[in-house]
Amino acid sequence: MTTDVDKAPTFVPSTIAYVEDPARPVLTHARTLQAGASVHPHRHPRGQLLWAWHGVMRVICDGAVWIVPASHAVWVPGGTLHHIVTETEVRIRNLYVDASRQVRAEPDVLLLTPLLREVILRLVSGAEEDAAAARHQRLCEVALDEIAGLPAAPLSLAGGQDPRLVRLTGHLGRQPADPRGLKELAALSGASPRTMERLFRQETGLTYRQWRSQRKLLAAIERLGHGESSTSIAYALGYHSPSAFVAAFRAHFGQPPQSFLPG
């Protein structure tokens, strides 16, 4: 899926991600990125818990696109290619886990616990002075234990590989509220509606209609990250009513839209 923003500033990953040292199982890094910035595709030996305590990120990993609000984080195992684009200004607080500690095997979006949020903030703010302290090591162990037990969240959406499918999903990624049907949109890709339906099923595991529905819901999370109300989001994304939007959101995520509003 096309996710880059034209002329967006691009940043390199932190060098901390490449430090291999079992004696320091958890290292930290903090940065603030403006809306539309990106960290170019990369991989590193340390596993990464990627969390923006303020703002909304889009993370592309293993062919999936994840929209990540501040209530959630992304676990990226060491050696996994990933790419980050910011939807809003984000204040990132990362934990990098040494390869000697196998916390989780698969990349995933995770719902953070209040405990882990506070542990991350303490580790990041006190990284230098606590680096050799027993207290710091205990906090690292708490963080690792929490990461291992976090529940996954349904915030991913496969983008596919076929160039025709990528053109269409890229367009819908940029304009999720486009009111046109598949017959008109397929023409953008140089394929028939039947071919596009087949590609959606084969490469994303979803029908075209299912994929569009989920893309709208991810767009809703982006808008919630900007502080928009459920009513304005419902009408902007083409739902018949705010109640229809809330019902669809709750059915997919198991939570009302309000739970994703920025704190």
Side-chain angles (χ1 to χ4, degrees):
M1 176 180 290
T2 301
T3 56
D4 291 338
V5 177
D6 289 342
K7 300 181 180 179
T10 301
F11 298 85
V12 297
S14 169
T15 56
I16 289 174
Y18 300 91
V19 174
E20 298 183 66
D21 185 357
R24 294 186 290 169
V26 178
L27 297 176
T28 66
H29 182 254
R31 68 168 70 179
T32 297
L33 299 176
Q34 68 189 72
S38 67
V39 180
H40 64 70
H42 63 281
R43 65 180 88 228
H44 38 68
R46 280 188 175 251
Q48 179 181 9
L49 187 72
L50 174 59
W51 175 47
W53 72 271
H54 172 83
V56 178
M57 302 178 293
R58 187 182 306 210
V59 180
I60 300 92
C61 184
D62 274 2
V65 179
W66 296 329
I67 304 300
V68 191
S71 55
H72 292 67
V74 174
W75 172 251
V76 181
T80 304
L81 185 68
H82 57 291
H83 174 204
I84 303 162
V85 178
T86 61
E87 298 295 335
T88 68
E89 178 186 90
V90 296
R91 301 170 193 170
I92 295 174
R93 303 292 183 266
N94 288 336
L95 300 185
Y96 292 101
V97 179
D98 192 78
S100 63
R101 305 297 293 268
Q102 297 298 318
V103 181
R104 301 179 77 109
E106 301 296 330
D108 224 332
V109 182
L110 308 173
L111 177 63
L112 288 182
T113 61
L115 173 59
L116 184 54
R117 291 166 66 94
E118 293 305 315
V119 169
I120 293 171
L121 293 174
R122 183 66 189 92
L123 285 172
V124 172
S125 65
E128 294 300 325
E129 59 266 31
D130 289 345
R135 181 172 183 272
H136 177 83
Q137 294 301 319
R138 290 196 298 270
L139 286 174
C140 289
E141 293 301 325
V142 171
L144 294 173
D145 187 62
E146 283 290 293
I147 293 170
L150 289 178
L155 296 179
S156 65
L157 187 60
Q161 301 296 325
D162 187 283
R164 295 164 294 180
L165 182 61
V166 170
R167 281 195 291 273
L168 181 51
T169 57
H171 170 76
L172 293 175
R174 295 184 295 273
Q175 300 184 42
D178 190 322
R180 291 177 292 180
L182 180 58
K183 182 177 181 180
E184 295 172 285
L185 291 172
L188 298 174
S189 305
S192 69
R194 178 174 294 184
T195 296
M196 294 310 302
E197 281 280 15
R198 176 176 56 79
L199 289 173
F200 269 101
R201 290 178 183 274
Q202 287 181 346
E203 299 203 12
T204 74
L206 301 171
T207 66
Y208 163 74
R209 186 179 297 274
Q210 290 170 331
W211 194 96
R212 285 216 66 176
S213 176
Q214 291 193 25
R215 182 62 191 93
K216 283 188 177 183
L217 291 173
L218 294 184
I221 290 181
E222 296 175 50
R223 289 173 174 266
L224 287 164
H226 286 280
E228 293 187 39
S229 69
S230 293
T231 298
S232 66
I233 292 171
Y235 291 124
L237 294 178
Y239 289 90
H240 295 303
S241 67
S243 60
F245 162 62
V246 171
F249 195 99
R250 187 185 287 274
H252 185 70
F253 294 115
Q255 303 175 67
Q258 290 76 10
S259 65
F260 285 81
L261 288 171

